[in-house]
């Protein structure tokens, strides 16, 4: 293996290497929600990806140690919310362990299939879970889009270099 002089010294694969590389990858910010046995659950995700147009399908990753995993592991439907740059605080609440994610500061309603739907997002979907694929300490959830609304106003919230950012022109 030869290294390009300007790229530095290659490092062997490790969780730290992966985190360091993906800190440089700007990603859109989504919140995934589901109904749980003791109330709604949700978490911030930057792993959201479009998988298929026909049928319309997406994927996201979730750690099996996450507080939302038990509910997501059993959920038949999930909500997927694309956050706007005005929702940095909401993204932080759903990313913070132990936070009251559906407390007074979170505007939401029960949507189709009992899925919590967040207010004032750029877009939202209700999806039927069709698979959960083991991937190391995570699961990749595959979900088929059932319905949604792409008409929210604003610009997307991004995650880059370990913090939330707005899109620049």
């Amino acid at each position: 293996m030869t290294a390009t002089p300007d790229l530095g010294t290659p490092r062997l694969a490790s969780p730290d290497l992966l985190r360091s590389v993906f800190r440089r990858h700007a990603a859109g910010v989504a919140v995934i929600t589901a109904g749980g046995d003791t109330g709604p659950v949700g978490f911030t995700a930057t792993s959201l990806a479009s998988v298929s147009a026909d049928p319309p399908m997406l994927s996201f990753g979730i750690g099996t140690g996450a507080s939302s995993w038990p509910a997501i592991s059993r959920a038949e439907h999930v909500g997927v919310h694309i956050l706007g740059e005005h929702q940095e605080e909401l993204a932080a609440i759903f990313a913070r362990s132990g936070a009251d994610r559906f407390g007074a500061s979170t505007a939401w309603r029960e949507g189709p299939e009992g899925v919590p739907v967040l207010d004032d997002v750029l877009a939202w979907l209700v999806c039927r879970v069709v698979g959960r694929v083991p991937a190391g300490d995570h699961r990749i959830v595959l979900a088929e889009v059932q319905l949604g609304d792409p008409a929210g106003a604003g610009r997307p919230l991004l995650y880059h270099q370990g913090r939330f950012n707005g899109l620049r022109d």
Side-chain angles (χ1 to χ4, degrees):
M1 175 163 84
T2 60
T4 305
D6 294 22
L7 293 182
T9 305
R11 296 169 24 196
L12 293 175
S14 69
D16 182 56
L17 174 62
L18 184 68
R19 281 190 289 272
S20 294
V21 168
F22 272 86
R23 285 177 67 89
R24 295 179 171 268
H25 174 70
V29 180
V31 168
I32 310 297
T33 61
D37 293 339
T38 59
V41 300
F43 65 97
T44 299
T46 56
S47 61
L48 183 66
S50 172
V51 172
S52 169
D54 189 17
M57 192 176 294
L58 57 82
S59 69
F60 60 86
I62 180 172
T64 56
S67 61
S68 296
W69 171 242
I72 299 292
S73 74
R74 294 186 300 275
E76 292 183 23
H77 293 85
V78 294
V80 176
H81 307 82
I82 307 300
L83 299 191
E85 62 186 359
H86 63 285
Q87 294 178 301
E88 184 175 329
E89 184 178 321
L90 182 67
I93 289 169
F94 277 85
R96 193 175 313 119
S97 180
D100 184 6
R101 296 173 178 157
F102 290 90
S105 66
T106 302
W108 67 281
R109 64 191 179 286
E110 185 173 317
E113 304 295 343
V115 171
V117 175
L118 303 177
D119 291 345
D120 199 29
V121 294
L122 296 187
W124 61 268
L125 299 165
V126 171
C127 304
R128 182 176 60 87
V129 175
V130 297
R132 295 173 184 88
V133 180
D137 61 355
H138 279 61
R139 295 296 181 267
I140 305 301
V141 178
L142 297 168
E144 187 175 346
V145 175
Q146 302 292 291
L147 60 99
D149 182 359
R155 295 161 53 104
L157 182 63
L158 302 177
Y159 190 73
H160 180 250
Q161 292 287 53
R163 59 189 196 101
F164 298 111
N165 295 277
L167 185 65
R168 294 187 195 112
D169 289 331

